[in-house]
Amino acid sequence: MLAMNFRGPFRIRADRNRPEPEIKHPYDAIVRVTRSLICGSDLHLYHGLVPDTRVGMTFGHEFTGVVVEVGSGVQKLKVGDHVLVPFNIACGTCPFCKQELYGNCHEANPEATAVGGFFGYAHTGGGYDGGQAEYVRVPYADVSPTVIPQGMDIEDAVLLTDVVPTGYQAAEQGGIQPGDTVVVFGAGPVGIMAARCAWFFGAGRVIIIDHLDYRLEFAKQYSYCEAYNFREMDDPVLFLKKATDWYGADVCIDAVGCDATGSTLQNILGKQLLMEAGNATALHWAINSVKKGGIVSIIGVYGPPWNLVPLGSLMNKGITMRGNQASVKRLLPKMIDHVMSGRLNPKGIISHRFPLEEIGDAYHMFSTKRDNIIKPLLIPPRANVA
Ligand SMILES: NC(=O)c1ccc[n+]([C@@H]2O[C@H](COP(=O)([O-])OP(=O)(O)OC[C@H]3O[C@@H](n4cnc5c(N)ncnc54)[C@H](O)[C@@H]3O)[C@@H](O)[C@H]2O)c1
Ligand SMILES: [Zn+2]
Ligand SMILES: [Zn+2]
């Protein structure tokens, strides 16, 4: 089959001779992919920042597809179902799944204790091949995959596998109270969705910070928020203090994660020498620009090893920090309702559509932020076969 093939940092191609996945366990299903997306999280893999990313792996954790085969233990999914597949691989029965912490399943990932399993996310994520391919093996098929509701556009459905619930959870973790000022760092798909969802919780003011003007312009329109370029500021923390009567924001959301830019020291330590788990500049700014007693929500991804973050500010300001991988299955019913009722239009953030064959170009463009790219969609060759 045709599938993405990781050859090493910054080297990705589509290969035609990849082996088709097979059922390995009674709870598996095989899905023929109809759409998939590239995520900011895939860029951490592409840039070589995620440990144990093995040559030959297929990435992709945001996809929809048609079920073509099910294992003997699968009861709910049927051959022919068109499903959206949440990025978390979760067993559904362990103590963490029981608490709806589907991003922290204790069974799905033998390689890690912090996170559960993910499609296409290195061996750190469990070693499962992902959906930037024609076919994918979906473990625990009865747990998370969800039949696409009738009438829902497939391009909306594919965004429900990650970006929409993730943006929503970023806002939810912020504990936003009516009237709160919310600052979102990062105007990528996740930050844009977090800013948009902050209004659902009653935010009074939403500000987004990035250094890419085209994304800031997009966020202003899509998320109805204020948008500022940190390259035009002497100090983003000072700017945000000034903008909030010197109190600081009620809630800060880090929607950037370990691939941040904005600090030479952090770039050298975290991204060139790999002496910390990536570049924690956005988290720095979030902690330092939230008010005393405020909440910092971390949705941008960091690895478990240490990071240079201002713990003293956290302690002395009485800040609460919350973070997690999004629990997609927990949030899906609410997100489906938002989309079907027209309150959210996820596909509005898809800026580029590539045939799967051109995945190398898609990664390059998304990584270098060329051509005003926001969110790239991949279409496999037989995507529209009934
Ligand atoms: N927790 C989860 O479940 C989950 C799910 C999906 C994605 N993520 C993470 O969310 C983050 C964002 O994903 P995305 O798809 O939007 O990625 P993206 O790469 O498209 O966007 C990141 C944005 O951050 C901006 N940025 C860089 N440094 C910054 C700084 N110092 N301050 C403000 N903005 C800065 C970039 O210019 C870019 O626009 C990534 O870390 C990704 O791994 C987390
Ligand atoms: Zn993703
Ligand atoms: Zn579990």
Side-chain angles (χ1 to χ4, degrees):
M1 67 168 177
L2 180 73
M4 175 262 171
N5 185 355
F6 177 69
R7 305 310 302 158
F10 298 94
R11 290 173 60 210
I12 270 174
R13 64 182 191 225
D15 275 345
R16 290 207 172 271
N17 57 353
R18 308 291 290 163
E20 283 189 19
E22 290 169 2
I23 301 274
K24 289 190 181 163
H25 186 279
Y27 294 162
D28 287 350
I30 305 294
V31 160
R32 178 171 55 76
V33 177
T34 49
R35 295 289 185 282
S36 63
L37 294 157
I38 305 178
C39 178
S41 298
D42 293 324
L43 294 180
H44 309 323
L45 298 164
Y46 181 64
H47 296 158
L49 287 174
V50 180
D52 211 1
T53 309
R54 299 188 191 172
V55 167
M57 181 163 220
T58 296
F59 303 164
H61 56 268
E62 308 181 5
F63 58 93
T64 55
V66 176
V67 178
V68 292
E69 194 182 347
V70 291
S72 58
V74 175
Q75 296 187 335
K76 283 198 268 173
L77 281 199
K78 296 183 304 299
V79 169
D81 282 347
H82 197 179
V83 290
L84 63 94
V85 182
F87 78 88
N88 322 108
I89 300 176
C91 77
T93 53
C94 74
F96 301 102
C97 285
K98 285 258 163 60
Q99 289 176 63
E100 297 193 303
L101 291 166
Y102 296 106
N104 312 98
C105 173
H106 208 58
E107 298 297 328
N109 182 356
E111 316 277 346
T113 52
V115 288
F118 307 121
F119 288 98
Y121 216 76
H123 277 63
T124 318
Y128 298 96
D129 275 325
Q132 291 165 6
E134 282 187 282
Y135 294 93
V136 60
R137 178 174 79 95
V138 175
Y140 305 107
D142 275 339
V143 178
S144 301
T146 301
V147 174
I148 299 173
Q150 229 177 359
M152 182 181 282
D153 191 313
I154 184 175
E155 292 191 354
D156 284 326
V158 71
L159 280 155
L160 291 178
T161 62
D162 183 346
V163 170
V164 175
T166 299
Y168 186 90
Q169 184 172 311
E172 184 189 57
Q173 282 175 176
I176 299 168
Q177 299 297 311
D180 272 0
T181 295
V182 179
V183 174
V184 181
F185 293 92
V190 171
I192 288 168
M193 202 55 74
R196 171 88 175 239
C197 290
W199 299 112
F200 290 144
F201 296 86
R205 186 177 179 197
V206 180
I207 298 171
I208 202 162
I209 305 282
D210 203 299
H211 67 120
L212 300 172
D213 282 326
Y214 77 90
R215 289 190 165 197
L216 291 167
E217 273 315 307
F218 183 88
K220 263 194 231 173
Q221 307 296 324
Y222 187 89
S223 312
Y224 319 115
C225 62
E226 297 168 51
Y228 302 105
N229 187 331
F230 67 77
R231 299 261 185 235
E232 290 165 10
M233 305 164 184
D234 287 337
D235 176 357
V237 174
L238 194 63
F239 174 87
L240 288 165
K241 287 275 175 69
K242 262 189 203 167
T244 52
D245 292 335
W246 300 100
Y247 286 124
D250 299 291
V251 176
C252 282
I253 296 173
D254 173 354
V256 181
C258 61
D259 251 337
T261 179
S263 155
T264 309
L265 175 71
Q266 290 265 0
N267 265 341
I268 293 173
L269 278 180
K271 288 169 73 172
Q272 290 170 17
L273 301 178
L274 299 180
M275 288 175 71
E276 54 172 329
N279 176 330
T281 302
L283 184 54
H284 248 265
W285 293 346
I287 291 173
N288 286 334
S289 48
V290 79
K291 72 174 185 189
K292 289 177 262 194
I295 300 179
V296 172
S297 161
I298 310 175
I299 205 76
V301 163
Y302 294 93
W306 78 286
N307 273 94
L308 200 59
V309 295
L311 264 189
S313 302
L314 177 91
M315 187 273 152
N316 287 295
K317 286 169 73 178
I319 295 167
T320 301
M321 275 219 275
R322 293 188 193 141
N324 206 346
Q325 299 289 343
S327 181
V328 176
K329 178 180 162 68
R330 174 177 67 84
L331 291 167
L332 260 185
K334 194 177 277 175
M335 300 302 102
I336 287 173
D337 184 52
H338 278 318
V339 173
M340 296 309 277
S341 62
R343 287 186 294 273
L344 273 182
N345 55 331
K347 65 173 178 289
I349 69 167
I350 295 175
S351 58
H352 289 66
R353 291 164 181 80
F354 294 90
L356 181 59
E357 291 88 333
E358 292 173 20
I359 193 166
D361 295 339
Y363 266 86
H364 181 65
M365 188 187 281
F366 191 44
S367 167
T368 51
K369 310 288 190 259
R370 300 249 167 91
D371 199 38
N372 291 355
I373 194 162
I374 307 252
K375 186 76 176 172
L377 179 81
L378 300 166
I379 308 176
R382 288 184 294 147
N384 297 321
V385 176

